[in-house]
Amino acid sequence: MNQLIPTEEPRRMRGDGFWRKTWAVLVKEFIQLKRDRVSFIMIVTIPLVQLLLFGYAINTTPRDLPTAVLLQESSNVGRSILAALHNTRYFKVTELPRTEAELDRLLASGKVLFGIEIPANFERELRRGDIPAMLVAADATDPVAASSALSALGRLVQTALAHDYAIPQAGSAPFEIRTHARYNPAAKTELNIVPGLVGTILTMTMLIYTALSVTREIERGTMENLLAMPITPIEIMLGKIIPYVLVGFVQAAMIIAIGVFLFGVPMLGNLGVLAALSTLFIAANLSIGYTFSTVAQNQLQAMQMSIMFFLPNILLSGFMFPFAGMPLWARWIGEALPLTHYLRIVRSIMLKGATVSDLHYDAAALAALMLVAMTIAVTRFRRTLD
Amino acid sequence: MTAVGNSATAPAAAKAGNDHDVVIDVQHLTKRFDGRAVVRDVSMQVKRGTIYGFLGPNGSGKTTTIRMLCGLLTPDEGTGTCLGYDIRTETDRIKRKVGYMTQRFSLYQDLSVRENLEFIGRIYGLQKPRQAARAAIERLGLTGREEQLAGELSGGWKQRLALGACTMPSPQLLLLDEPTAGVDPKARREFWNEIHALAADGLTVLVSTHYMDEAERCHEIAYIAYGELLVRGTVDEVIAASHLTTYVVSARNGNSLSTLGQELEHKPGIDMVAPFGTSLHVSGRDAAALEAAIAPYKARDDLDWQRSEASLEDVFIDLMGRAKDNFQ
């Protein structure tokens, strides 16, 4: 028979062994960390990926801001201004509307951030020295993006004209830029930030509610019982998501009410539309969180995944930095994040009074993200313990 | 092959044939994890209304086999039916009619007794889950504790609740995975009385256990070690099939027998020596060889030798030793 107790008394070190015991715990922690492969990989990849991603993507001097130019006259000066705008990196002329109404619609829908109108007889008045007015409408819902571009505009046009038509630059400018900051004329940042916070706060809370829901059942051992019962993965998923839609809705209502009554954010659009699209946004985030919980092996991994997802939501969605200022690839990443679409929705509805027809693209994107997440979750959900 | 096909498409018709009383019928089940076979070539039949004991040491593959029966694991090899449904393709149907009690308490610790039972009632589609839960609470003798959180119950009550939870949807088959581990003797006895009452009503019960006294309460037993099913049958059949001859040795003067035990253990002809209280059980598969081995000791007048029937425990420890020899 084997001896359970050693025949020789083992030799022990003297003293209380504070550092020895600390060392014992330290060694154990390192072994456990090494065993948890995913966490181990994340230690390296999280800082690396995030630094490279955000370092290259974030730019506070926005480039290529989408601009619409309305030429009310067909003149050389007009064409020259258009060409100058093309040549700068600040503006990117994406639309050439024919009427003012069309220009307004483009601004309201958020397709362009600037509308530049060169009125009729601009060239003639310019040559006569009448100082004609060039009208610039800027979407000031994001004041940061608008201001730096606007300050560059005057100099840009003047240089172009001097170069092409020898219109003297001496003294004051030969024309005037009449700027109209739409939607947020006082350029109050809180009007931009508070609606954005609705989305950011909801993203954070919703993700974490569901990210732990499946891993928690696995860690507590209740999953085995649940799997042995006649219930399908879709039923489990919907049952776990729906209660939090309600929770999210209450949170959204609270933040929006505070925004309106405390911060004086206007509510120009339809509250019902905002409520409906907010619900969609909440459900999309809950589905993504739930997907994490079906992929993660434990609660720690699920939390790490949520944070990995939350950071780009803040930095690449247009919440902190102008969306239009990011390089194309970063904007593509942004398009895959629910917060990007919700920010457009909530800012457009509250500040611009946008209607459903202005927002159908973003609403469809949210619905698509939600469905993709749900599909992954249901297929990833392990129905057996294999 | 055609018979298997038929039973998959029309289980009721196939069952109506020769063996409509067989609830579990599996052949050659094998399950591997990371290339290591945890269950190898296990075949078994369980008849309706039987209490079938599933015995074996820790890590022998009992839990894995039970999980394959109720659709929680997919076998790598082998086929079979549970309640007439294919264990590979019809797990959804099996789950509706099987009550599975997991080894680890797996109800929601942060729900009360009543809330747990109502949850189960709803999932199994009972028409009045509240009433069903209330009735189950009364049946289980949990009245007065219905609002207590399941996690705060003592071990014995947790086990009662878990049993109540898996019997509430009135299943046709109960799979109980070590239901009495860590439960006191009184609660264990009550538990077994209940199992017998349920079986008398026609419910089939497959129960895994370590306890020999529990094995003796089963109608039939199967012994599994190292993933292989070594023996099955009634308790008497299993003992008879072992061909084990056993002597009980005790010291007349009350001296310790530990040195004798160590001496006897390595003698040829003696397959097993196990201490039981103040006496030793000495067993061998070959009666003649055993007699020869103990002859010199029988002559000693400080020892009392009594020939006896091998106990179930003797048989299992012997089986385990033999399986280990084959395995290594």
Side-chain angles (χ1 to χ4, degrees), chain A residues 304-318:
Chain A
Q304 286 174 323
M305 286 181 191
S306 304
I307 292 167
M308 278 260 275
F309 182 72
F310 183 61
L311 264 176
N313 263 291
I314 289 204
L315 298 172
L316 303 184
S317 63

mmCIF file of all heavy atoms in Angstrom, chain A residues 304-318:
data_model
loop_
_atom_site.group_PDB
_atom_site.id
_atom_site.type_symbol
_atom_site.label_atom_id
_atom_site.label_comp_id
_atom_site.label_asym_id
_atom_site.label_seq_id
_atom_site.Cartn_x
_atom_site.Cartn_y
_atom_site.Cartn_z
ATOM 1 N N GLN A 304 -13.086 41.252 -21.575
ATOM 2 C CA GLN A 304 -12.019 41.783 -22.427
ATOM 3 C C GLN A 304 -12.537 42.068 -23.833
ATOM 4 O O GLN A 304 -12.223 43.084 -24.439
ATOM 5 C CB GLN A 304 -10.857 40.789 -22.481
ATOM 6 C CG GLN A 304 -10.040 40.765 -21.210
ATOM 7 C CD GLN A 304 -8.988 39.682 -21.227
ATOM 8 O OE1 GLN A 304 -9.206 38.600 -21.749
ATOM 9 N NE2 GLN A 304 -7.853 39.955 -20.650
ATOM 10 N N MET A 305 -13.350 41.146 -24.352
ATOM 11 C CA MET A 305 -13.911 41.351 -25.684
ATOM 12 C C MET A 305 -14.790 42.595 -25.705
ATOM 13 O O MET A 305 -14.759 43.375 -26.657
ATOM 14 C CB MET A 305 -14.745 40.142 -26.094
ATOM 15 C CG MET A 305 -13.906 38.950 -26.456
ATOM 16 S SD MET A 305 -14.979 37.586 -26.944
ATOM 17 C CE MET A 305 -13.773 36.280 -26.982
ATOM 18 N N SER A 306 -15.570 42.796 -24.660
ATOM 19 C CA SER A 306 -16.447 43.963 -24.611
ATOM 20 C C SER A 306 -15.626 45.245 -24.647
ATOM 21 O O SER A 306 -15.975 46.196 -25.346
ATOM 22 C CB SER A 306 -17.298 43.946 -23.343
ATOM 23 O OG SER A 306 -18.016 42.757 -23.274
ATOM 24 N N ILE A 307 -14.533 45.262 -23.902
ATOM 25 C CA ILE A 307 -13.709 46.470 -23.867
ATOM 26 C C ILE A 307 -13.043 46.691 -25.228
ATOM 27 O O ILE A 307 -12.991 47.810 -25.733
ATOM 28 C CB ILE A 307 -12.664 46.367 -22.737
ATOM 29 C CG1 ILE A 307 -13.384 46.405 -21.396
ATOM 30 C CG2 ILE A 307 -11.655 47.507 -22.820
ATOM 31 C CD1 ILE A 307 -12.522 46.014 -20.228
ATOM 32 N N MET A 308 -12.560 45.593 -25.815
ATOM 33 C CA MET A 308 -11.960 45.678 -27.146
ATOM 34 C C MET A 308 -12.937 46.278 -28.150
ATOM 35 O O MET A 308 -12.547 46.948 -29.095
ATOM 36 C CB MET A 308 -11.597 44.271 -27.640
ATOM 37 C CG MET A 308 -10.300 43.767 -27.114
ATOM 38 S SD MET A 308 -8.984 43.938 -28.317
ATOM 39 C CE MET A 308 -9.203 42.454 -29.260
ATOM 40 N N PHE A 309 -14.210 45.974 -27.973
ATOM 41 C CA PHE A 309 -15.227 46.468 -28.889
ATOM 42 C C PHE A 309 -15.655 47.892 -28.527
ATOM 43 O O PHE A 309 -15.986 48.687 -29.391
ATOM 44 C CB PHE A 309 -16.435 45.534 -28.842
ATOM 45 C CG PHE A 309 -17.532 45.906 -29.788
ATOM 46 C CD1 PHE A 309 -17.377 45.718 -31.151
ATOM 47 C CD2 PHE A 309 -18.720 46.446 -29.322
ATOM 48 C CE1 PHE A 309 -18.379 46.064 -32.033
ATOM 49 C CE2 PHE A 309 -19.723 46.799 -30.204
ATOM 50 C CZ PHE A 309 -19.549 46.606 -31.557
ATOM 51 N N PHE A 310 -15.602 48.195 -27.250
ATOM 52 C CA PHE A 310 -16.085 49.486 -26.782
ATOM 53 C C PHE A 310 -15.160 50.631 -27.214
ATOM 54 O O PHE A 310 -15.631 51.694 -27.618
ATOM 55 C CB PHE A 310 -16.216 49.447 -25.256
ATOM 56 C CG PHE A 310 -16.764 50.704 -24.661
ATOM 57 C CD1 PHE A 310 -18.032 51.144 -25.012
ATOM 58 C CD2 PHE A 310 -16.031 51.461 -23.764
ATOM 59 C CE1 PHE A 310 -18.557 52.297 -24.472
ATOM 60 C CE2 PHE A 310 -16.544 52.627 -23.226
ATOM 61 C CZ PHE A 310 -17.810 53.033 -23.584
ATOM 62 N N LEU A 311 -13.851 50.385 -27.164
ATOM 63 C CA LEU A 311 -12.906 51.452 -27.502
ATOM 64 C C LEU A 311 -13.077 52.000 -28.921
ATOM 65 O O LEU A 311 -13.202 53.207 -29.097
ATOM 66 C CB LEU A 311 -11.477 50.974 -27.269
ATOM 67 C CG LEU A 311 -10.907 51.366 -25.906
ATOM 68 C CD1 LEU A 311 -9.525 50.782 -25.726
ATOM 69 C CD2 LEU A 311 -10.838 52.887 -25.760
ATOM 70 N N PRO A 312 -13.063 51.164 -29.946
ATOM 71 C CA PRO A 312 -13.303 51.720 -31.282
ATOM 72 C C PRO A 312 -14.653 52.402 -31.395
ATOM 73 O O PRO A 312 -14.803 53.379 -32.138
ATOM 74 C CB PRO A 312 -13.212 50.515 -32.217
ATOM 75 C CG PRO A 312 -13.225 49.323 -31.359
ATOM 76 C CD PRO A 312 -12.752 49.727 -30.016
ATOM 77 N N ASN A 313 -15.637 51.920 -30.638
ATOM 78 C CA ASN A 313 -16.933 52.580 -30.662
ATOM 79 C C ASN A 313 -16.814 54.032 -30.241
ATOM 80 O O ASN A 313 -17.490 54.901 -30.758
ATOM 81 C CB ASN A 313 -17.918 51.853 -29.740
ATOM 82 C CG ASN A 313 -18.793 50.890 -30.489
ATOM 83 O OD1 ASN A 313 -19.643 51.293 -31.274
ATOM 84 N ND2 ASN A 313 -18.564 49.609 -30.289
ATOM 85 N N ILE A 314 -15.964 54.283 -29.256
ATOM 86 C CA ILE A 314 -15.800 55.659 -28.781
ATOM 87 C C ILE A 314 -14.958 56.467 -29.750
ATOM 88 O O ILE A 314 -15.265 57.602 -30.080
ATOM 89 C CB ILE A 314 -15.112 55.645 -27.410
ATOM 90 C CG1 ILE A 314 -16.096 55.096 -26.396
ATOM 91 C CG2 ILE A 314 -14.651 57.032 -27.021
ATOM 92 C CD1 ILE A 314 -15.822 55.529 -25.015
ATOM 93 N N LEU A 315 -13.874 55.844 -30.235
ATOM 94 C CA LEU A 315 -12.869 56.619 -30.959
ATOM 95 C C LEU A 315 -13.137 56.712 -32.457
ATOM 96 O O LEU A 315 -12.732 57.671 -33.103
ATOM 97 C CB LEU A 315 -11.483 56.014 -30.706
ATOM 98 C CG LEU A 315 -11.054 56.040 -29.227
ATOM 99 C CD1 LEU A 315 -9.781 55.254 -29.040
ATOM 100 C CD2 LEU A 315 -10.858 57.469 -28.740
ATOM 101 N N LEU A 316 -13.771 55.711 -33.040
ATOM 102 C CA LEU A 316 -13.935 55.709 -34.498
ATOM 103 C C LEU A 316 -15.364 55.967 -34.958
ATOM 104 O O LEU A 316 -15.660 55.860 -36.137
ATOM 105 C CB LEU A 316 -13.465 54.362 -35.080
ATOM 106 C CG LEU A 316 -12.025 53.943 -34.791
ATOM 107 C CD1 LEU A 316 -11.706 52.648 -35.503
ATOM 108 C CD2 LEU A 316 -11.052 55.024 -35.207
ATOM 109 N N SER A 317 -16.256 56.276 -34.035
ATOM 110 C CA SER A 317 -17.654 56.415 -34.434
ATOM 111 C C SER A 317 -18.018 57.844 -34.767
ATOM 112 O O SER A 317 -19.097 58.117 -35.270
ATOM 113 C CB SER A 317 -18.545 55.941 -33.292
ATOM 114 O OG SER A 317 -18.337 56.785 -32.177
ATOM 115 N N GLY A 318 -17.107 58.783 -34.462
ATOM 116 C CA GLY A 318 -17.470 60.177 -34.626
ATOM 117 C C GLY A 318 -17.931 60.793 -33.328
ATOM 118 O O GLY A 318 -18.380 61.932 -33.277
#
